[in-house]
Amino acid sequence: MLYPTPAQVEAAYGLARERYATLGVDTEAALATLAATSISLHCWQGDDVGGFENPGGGLEGGIAATGNYPGKARNADELRSDLDMAFRLIPSRHRLNLHAIYAETGGRPMERNQLGPEHFAAWVDWARAAGRGIDFNPTCFAHPLAAAGFTLASPDPAIRQFWVEHCIVCRQIGAAFGVALGTPCVTNIWIPDGYKDTPFDRLGPRQRLAESLDQILRAPVDRSHTYDAVEGKLFGLGLESYTVGSHEFYLGYAARRNDLLLCLDAGHFHPTESIADKISAVLLAVPRLLLHVSRGVRWDSDHVVTFSDDLQAIMQELVRGDFLGRTHIGLDYFDASINRVAAWVIGTRNAQRALLLALLEPAAELRALEQAGDHTGRLALLEETKGLPWAAVWDAFCMRNDVPVGGAFLADIRCYETQVLATRG
Ligand code: RNT
Ligand code: ZN
């Protein structure tokens, strides 16, 4: 027997619940919060950020998916089928994060500033049937008008106007998702603008970006149905020396306006920086937060999220600061070197496991120790919590949600690989 039986899961959970109760932790309350916290799965892991705009269209803008594992989704039906498979193996209900290049235009070429909700009708039907929300992103890369390396900060007014219009239609599409699905859509703007080599003028592009954003956000859109987010970055491939939309730029911009979400992508900072420490600071300045949970390895390499200290620290901050209600958790990575469905499942389950571990912290006692100045006791208890039987609580959560317990999900993925992915040529 490779994985525990239902009776074993129940028995282990019963013991774990008692153990946590002695520390003043209510495992049922933790499970209820975990069940209520949805994560936005990034559609782009399923096809290496290709989209359906033009077949074989390459990735640009300083991001790259590496690897050539067979079976990537070639069209929207295949992508939805792969996502369904992933969602079946992830406990509780989650959202989908779409990009504009996943529009379905019936084979007709459609400029990005001409897109409308009708081009996403099949996605909405699919999401509605599963009770899922959708989040959205303008695609300001992999396009001839992004080829010069500048979009919303372009010195060319015509190029800038094109991308402003694209972002405006995307906000309208986001609002339509929000209305159709009864849950607000987060529409997140990330642009690749920047220079490979040292610029002379760092200010001009940032002034143009701020003007473009002002213009985009002036467009009338029902902001109860779409929340606007902006995502900064340290650098990209070929943009090593200057990124217009840096963290400081967007933090300042969002703090000035007070009506935007700031997006923190875990791969978008210096490798020794963790976004966990930024969360409490940023949420003092902006009303809501969007997370792109990712894993940089040496650079913004978009590796599958593992159960790392970084991930655990992020989730601890969300729980300790009582920030879950103001935070939208999304994933952002694209690994083309392994089974793509497994990449979704492993990364999402890890994010949930880390959230559960954070929800199971003996918070009252830790706070009391800290407030009493007992740093020895704080250290001792924090280290003890790492060995508490939280995995038994996780197994119970999976079982209650009718998804495979432990690594049993891999057998289902292997089966899907043989029956579906392997037939894609
Ligand atoms: C790029 C940003 C951005 C993208 C997606 C595809 O560095 O992280 O979020 O990954 O929009
Ligand atoms: Zn991101």
Side-chain angles (χ1 to χ4, degrees):
M1 175 70 62
L2 270 175
Y3 300 106
T5 62
Q8 287 170 329
V9 171
E10 270 309 327
Y13 174 65
L15 293 172
R17 191 178 53 207
E18 283 172 30
R19 179 82 172 85
Y20 275 107
T22 64
L23 289 160
V25 176
D26 178 352
T27 55
E28 287 298 321
L31 289 177
T33 305
L34 184 63
T37 307
S38 47
I39 294 178
S40 200
L41 260 75
H42 51 315
C43 75
W44 51 92
Q45 165 60 56
D47 75 332
D48 315 338
V49 211
F52 315 128
E53 200 172 57
N54 43 62
L59 204 47
E60 285 166 14
I63 55 177
T66 55
N68 55 4
Y69 199 86
K72 84 168 165 189
R74 297 164 300 183
N75 55 54
D77 287 331
E78 289 182 354
L79 189 54
R80 283 188 282 266
S81 157
D82 295 355
L83 280 160
D84 279 332
M85 186 64 211
F87 281 126
R88 277 200 289 280
L89 303 175
I90 298 167
S92 70
R93 187 175 299 161
H94 299 285
R95 304 172 64 88
L96 176 75
N97 200 358
L98 263 185
H99 238 285
I101 45 171
Y102 293 84
E104 291 171 88
T105 60
R108 274 169 299 118
M110 183 69 56
E111 260 316 336
R112 290 189 199 173
N113 59 351
Q114 303 297 321
L115 288 170
E118 64 276 18
H119 303 120
F120 296 87
W123 284 109
V124 167
D125 290 344
W126 172 81
R128 192 189 285 113
R132 252 178 243 309
I134 296 185
D135 299 307
F136 199 47
N137 305 262
T139 310
C140 301
F141 53 83
H143 187 278
L145 289 181
F150 284 85
T151 61
L152 293 179
S154 173
D156 179 334
I159 291 180
R160 210 160 71 236
Q161 185 59 28
F162 174 82
W163 293 111
V164 164
E165 286 171 14
H166 174 55
C167 290
I168 290 174
V169 298
C170 284
R171 293 181 72 220
Q172 289 160 351
I173 294 165
F177 288 157
V179 172
L181 300 171
T183 165
C185 165
V186 176
T187 303
N188 175 52
I189 297 179
W190 171 75
I191 59 163
D193 300 28
Y195 286 119
K196 180 180 180 71
D197 219 334
T198 316
F200 174 76
D201 178 14
R202 290 177 186 267
L203 174 62
R206 290 191 171 132
Q207 287 171 324
R208 292 194 292 270
L209 175 54
E211 279 166 27
S212 296
L213 291 171
D214 290 349
Q215 230 182 308
I216 292 164
L217 296 168
R218 259 200 307 272
V221 167
D222 188 337
R223 302 183 98 188
S224 62
H225 297 300
T226 183
Y227 297 155
D228 298 292
V230 286
E231 179 181 6
K233 189 169 182 176
L234 180 63
F235 81 101
L237 296 173
L239 318 156
E240 290 85 358
S241 301
Y242 173 67
T243 297
V244 183
S246 61
H247 174 60
E248 290 72 13
F249 173 87
Y250 284 119
L251 178 60
Y253 187 81
R256 276 202 303 285
R257 292 188 54 108
N258 206 37
D259 60 352
L260 294 181
L261 278 72
L262 188 75
C263 174
L264 295 177
D265 183 312
H268 286 193
F269 295 85
H270 285 281
T272 56
E273 263 181 297
S274 152
I275 65 168
D277 179 59
K278 302 178 191 301
I279 291 172
S280 53
V282 160
L283 276 172
L284 285 172
V286 301
R288 304 179 84 84
L289 184 70
L290 171 64
L291 294 182
H292 273 189
V293 180
S294 185
R295 177 169 56 109
V297 176
R298 299 188 185 276
W299 56 284
D300 173 38
S301 47
D302 295 291
H303 284 61
V304 178
V305 166
T306 54
F307 193 67
S308 63
D309 286 354
D310 276 353
L311 178 67
Q312 292 172 42
I314 290 167
M315 296 305 174
Q316 285 164 357
E317 281 304 306
L318 297 185
V319 173
R320 293 178 189 176
D322 196 17
F323 292 139
L324 283 172
R326 292 166 63 194
T327 304
H328 303 256
I329 307 173
L331 304 176
D332 185 11
Y333 51 78
F334 23 100
D335 187 340
S337 74
I338 60 173
N339 181 301
R340 294 171 184 79
V341 176
W344 272 317
V345 173
I346 293 167
T348 313
R349 287 175 64 124
N350 276 333
Q352 288 183 287
R353 293 199 304 159
L355 176 57
L356 174 61
L357 185 55
L359 290 165
L360 291 172
E361 282 190 318
E365 190 164 351
L366 284 165
R367 203 177 284 280
L369 288 166
E370 184 163 284
Q371 280 168 358
D374 185 354
H375 300 171
T376 310
R378 179 183 64 186
L379 178 63
L381 185 54
L382 278 173
E383 290 307 297
E384 274 309 303
T385 59
K386 296 176 181 172
L388 290 175
W390 63 270
V393 184
W394 169 250
D395 286 348
F397 186 68
C398 290
M399 197 170 80
R400 289 181 187 183
N401 281 280
D402 264 323
V403 304
V405 170
F409 65 80
L410 193 58
D412 294 33
I413 291 175
R414 296 230 194 273
C415 187
Y416 186 75
E417 176 157 322
T418 320
Q419 287 171 4
V420 180
L421 301 178
T423 65
R424 288 183 188 167

